[in-house]
Amino acid sequence: MFFFKMLGTAAGGGVPQWNCACTLCVLSRTRPLSVAPRLQLQAIVSGDGKGWFLLNASPDLRFQIEANPELQPSPEFGRRNTPIKGIVLTSADLDQVLGVLLLREFQPLTIYATSLVRRTLEANSFFRMLQRIPGQLTWAEIVPGQSFLLGDSGILCTPIPLEGSLPFYAKELDTGEPGQASLGLLLEKDGRKIAYTPALPEITEELRAIYRTCDTVLVDGTFWSDAELNRTHAGTPLARSIGHVPLSGDDGTIALLADLDFPGRIFVHINNTNPILDSNSVEHRAVLDAGWQVAHDGWQLDQ
Ligand SMILES: [Zn+2]
């Protein structure tokens, strides 16, 4: 068995975002059937449907646990327990690690991360909350390109090194080593192979070669166009300058992956400015016509 489920599919801020009155955020508040609200990015995997691994830990994690019974503790195992067996961190971005702090309460945790991501978290005093008692937090170091088994799940996980540096608030810790600051994940079990790559600064030949071996790819769907964020909110950066290839255009993700014909192609990590969120938009239609799905919270891999 190989379970893979998305509990949140939006980029940082979610849909709607707390301080945003853009067209799509307003629509998601007033017409949720056209623009479905989405929680911030969160994926979970399991090899048996009983023990689960989090792929990163979103700021919305508490709501995501309470909305998904498979992540909740059971009285059958006593008063303190959790089916969450570990967390894989693919970067030290706040949107990917903030949820770790929500899992304190003296619960033993295992975090899989590169040595650089570990050092970045350890440099922040808040994360000492996870190390108040011996054995509370176990670090498992992961190395770009080196496969490892996720606990006893039977899921083989290979970190895919991506271009990228530490977030600006931790820049001084960066070593520039390839893949240490940003990873995609290749996940394999029982003949299924999934690529989880929600943040892509470029579509390389290496990445295309990895995708060709997969049956399902979950791909960075942050922005439709390079200038979309900047057009919506003056003074904000272009998509490519903050590490996201946009979906549209001759050099966009849809065009660059058009020759791949794997059955499962899903866009995740969708920003609240991206018009594909509106199920009535031409952009949403164009994504479907190109053979892609727009992920929604609760999306899961077919068994
Ligand atoms: Zn908005």
Side-chain angles (χ1 to χ4, degrees), residues 82-101:
T82 174
I84 297 171
K85 301 296 176 202
I87 306 158
V88 186
L89 296 180
T90 61
S91 79
D93 285 359
L94 217 45
D95 293 330
Q96 312 303 343
V97 305
L98 213 53
V100 173
L101 290 173

Side-chain angles (χ1 to χ4, degrees), residues 14-17 19-26 28-29 232-233 271-274:
V15 182
Q17 180 171 316
N19 62 345
C20 192
C22 77
T23 311
L24 289 164
C25 283
V26 169
S28 77
R29 292 183 181 106
T232 312
H233 303 288
N271 197 57
N272 61 70
T273 50
N274 189 334

